[in-house]
Amino acid sequence: MLLFLVSFILIFTSSYFIASIFDTKTEKGLAYIFLIAFAQIILTTEILSLFKLIKEVPFLCFNSLFFISTFFIWKKFKSPKWKLDTKDFFHRLKNTLKLDKSLILLSICWLFYVIISIFFIIALPNITADGKSYHVARCFYYIINQSLAHFECSNIRLIAFPINSEILYIWVLLFTNKLICLGIFSFLGYLLTCFSSYKIIRFLGFSMRKAIWTILIFSSFASVIIISVETETDLIISGLISLSIYLFLESLRTNSHKTIYMASLAYAIATGVKTTALLISPALLILLFLFSLKFSKIKYFIIFLG
């Protein structure tokens, strides 16, 4: 468990260095940290798999290499620090709660749900039927073989489906050797969905009150409550795709090429986590194209596709 904490700190610290270079004041910096961390876990696992070195020490060596490299890059850019000013947000939130008292009780219930979810993730091995049959089951094969290469098995589900979210689960199982904490990725996907949905709704001109109501209604769905702490990948995809849409819209508003690159990265990771994310590609591309036309910035759409 100690090695996992070391790896976690190295990954998220190096992600913070890069995110701080891209953004120092807005909420986008937080989204960048998680995106870069996800990308780093995937890239490290893929590279180590090529040499059959999916083991604790090589993984930590790569984490350390990324950390040192990003640290010097961060220093070269004069050590920018990402710091989010939340005064305006909480001031608006306070006024919103005054206008709609029912949101106070619902917000307290939401916080209770978040606390309970974190407890379940840390204390219980929340593995779904799909997780037991192939998502988590084949992670142990990959760890034993120290590679993502195919292996011989009588269960067709273990070898027929493409490698998706297993790369993220391998990172946890490699260091902890336990089935707990695997639900953290679905929960992060849920939080990213809430965050991105809020920002998209606000971007479209709706009030904070309506945005909060939307998030609370979404959070009350039984399916969301159940899978937010399990090994299902639906919320991970939801979080990454909604984040991609938000970052794309933000790039149109701020004329930022860095943001459009991150939007592309979010969608790329989403399709990597589960290839069924490609099913919504036509609708998503049409939506982003229409927004590009509205802002007269077709080149941003082309950059996103690239």
Side-chain angles (χ1 to χ4, degrees):
M1 197 67 176
L2 179 60
L3 292 178
F4 175 70
L5 292 176
V6 172
S7 178
F8 179 90
I9 293 171
L10 289 173
I11 288 173
F12 278 89
T13 305
S14 57
S15 301
Y16 170 82
F17 290 152
I18 299 298
S20 298
I21 296 172
F22 289 167
D23 186 274
T24 58
K25 296 180 180 179
T26 69
E27 302 90 341
K28 291 185 295 182
L30 183 62
Y32 293 166
I33 291 173
F34 285 104
L35 273 179
I36 296 169
F38 277 15
Q40 188 180 155
I41 294 170
I42 294 169
L43 179 62
T44 301
T45 307
E46 292 280 6
I47 292 175
L48 292 177
S49 174
L50 295 175
F51 305 97
K52 292 190 175 183
L53 286 174
I54 298 181
K55 295 185 288 187
E56 295 96 328
V57 174
F59 209 102
L60 283 174
C61 288
F62 258 83
N63 293 160
S64 302
L65 180 62
F66 275 115
F67 175 81
I68 295 170
S69 302
T70 54
F71 176 76
F72 283 111
I73 295 172
W74 181 66
K75 280 292 185 181
K76 186 176 181 180
F77 281 86
K78 299 181 180 180
S79 306
K81 295 178 177 61
W82 176 74
K83 185 178 181 181
L84 183 61
D85 185 5
T86 58
K87 290 182 180 179
D88 182 61
F89 172 80
F90 282 108
H91 178 71
R92 291 174 179 268
L93 179 61
K94 183 179 178 181
N95 291 334
T96 301
L97 294 178
K98 285 181 179 179
L99 291 173
D100 193 341
K101 297 292 194 299
S102 60
L103 284 177
I104 298 176
L105 177 61
L106 292 173
S107 298
I108 293 173
C109 293
W110 181 80
L111 289 173
F112 178 75
Y113 155 67
V114 169
I115 294 171
I116 292 298
S117 297
I118 293 174
F119 170 77
F120 281 150
I121 291 169
I122 296 174
L124 300 174
N126 300 300
I127 312 296
T128 61
D130 279 345
K132 292 177 180 177
S133 60
Y134 78 97
H135 272 311
V136 178
R138 60 181 178 176
C139 287
F140 292 102
Y141 283 93
Y142 296 141
I143 292 173
I144 292 172
N145 296 331
Q146 302 174 14
S147 170
L148 299 176
H150 283 291
F151 50 87
E152 295 183 4
C153 182
S154 59
N155 186 348
I156 189 64
R157 299 190 74 189
L158 288 174
I159 55 178
F161 291 110
I163 302 168
N164 301 133
S165 58
E166 290 83 357
I167 291 180
L168 299 175
Y169 301 145
I170 285 172
W171 174 55
V172 177
L173 293 171
L174 182 65
F175 290 103
T176 64
N177 211 17
K178 296 179 181 179
L179 295 176
I180 60 173
C181 295
L182 295 182
I184 188 63
F185 299 108
S186 288
F187 189 68
L188 287 176
Y190 162 74
L191 294 179
L192 285 176
T193 303
C194 292
F195 166 77
S196 303
S197 299
Y198 172 83
K199 298 300 292 185
I200 292 170
I201 293 169
R202 295 288 287 153
F203 181 88
L204 296 176
F206 293 98
S207 65
M208 175 180 277
R209 179 185 176 188
K210 291 180 179 178
I212 294 175
W213 266 108
T214 301
I215 292 171
L216 292 175
I217 292 172
F218 166 74
S219 302
S220 68
F221 294 159
S223 58
V224 174
I225 294 173
I226 293 171
I227 67 176
S228 63
V229 295
E230 294 183 339
T231 53
E232 286 293 342
T233 56
D234 299 329
L235 281 177
I236 303 177
I237 297 171
S238 170
L240 290 169
I241 290 179
S242 59
L243 182 60
S244 178
I245 296 172
Y246 157 61
L247 292 177
F248 184 87
L249 296 177
E250 191 67 15
S251 69
L252 297 179
R253 186 180 69 85
T254 60
N255 297 316
S256 172
H257 283 192
K258 295 176 183 177
T259 307
I260 198 70
Y261 295 144
M262 284 296 175
S264 298
L265 177 62
Y267 186 67
I269 295 175
T271 56
V273 167
K274 197 167 187 178
T275 47
T276 49
L278 292 171
L279 296 176
I280 69 166
S281 290
L284 176 65
L285 294 178
I286 291 172
L287 176 66
L288 299 184
F289 179 72
L290 292 176
F291 275 116
S292 300
L293 284 178
K294 182 179 179 180
F295 284 85
S296 302
K297 295 177 181 177
I298 299 297
K299 71 174 184 177
Y300 282 77
F301 180 73
I302 296 173
I303 293 173
F304 178 83
L305 292 178

